[in-house]
Amino acid sequence: EQPLAGTVFTHTRNRHRFAGSESFKLPYTSVLVTLDTVPVRLIGVLEGSDKGLTIGAPVSGRIDRTAFGEASIPALRWRLAA
């Protein structure tokens, strides 16, 4: 098990819905994060304010659940580190 902490590799502000994103309030920000402990990148949704969001910004994450059609599936949530 690895801690969910890393840095933002890239991010996208989504203003339109697409299949599977119906449960997200618009607009929302997707972030691709490089983990600190292993050379792996994981994608998730940014929680909280995006003020200060830049490439290289430190973030921490948690595992949540999201609706995908009729299913509830695991999903990553990222937050800018304080």
Side-chain angles (χ1 to χ4, degrees), residues 6 8-9 24 29-31 34 39 43 50 55 58 63 73 75 77 81:
V8 174
F9 180 77
F24 296 126
T29 302
S30 299
V31 288
T34 304
I43 195 165
D50 63 358
I55 291 172
I63 299 171
I73 61 171
R77 302 290 189 253

Side-chain angles (χ1 to χ4, degrees), residues 15-66:
R15 293 178 174 83
H16 302 283
R17 297 207 186 285
F18 57 91
S21 69
E22 295 84 4
S23 65
F24 296 126
K25 181 180 174 185
L26 293 174
Y28 64 94
T29 302
S30 299
V31 288
L32 183 61
V33 173
T34 304
L35 296 181
D36 289 341
T37 55
V38 292
V40 171
R41 293 185 182 131
L42 300 174
I43 195 165
V45 175
L46 185 70
E47 292 184 311
S49 172
D50 63 358
K51 185 176 181 179
L53 177 63
T54 59
I55 291 172
V59 292
S60 61
R62 67 183 182 85
I63 299 171
D64 195 13
R65 302 211 53 93
T66 194

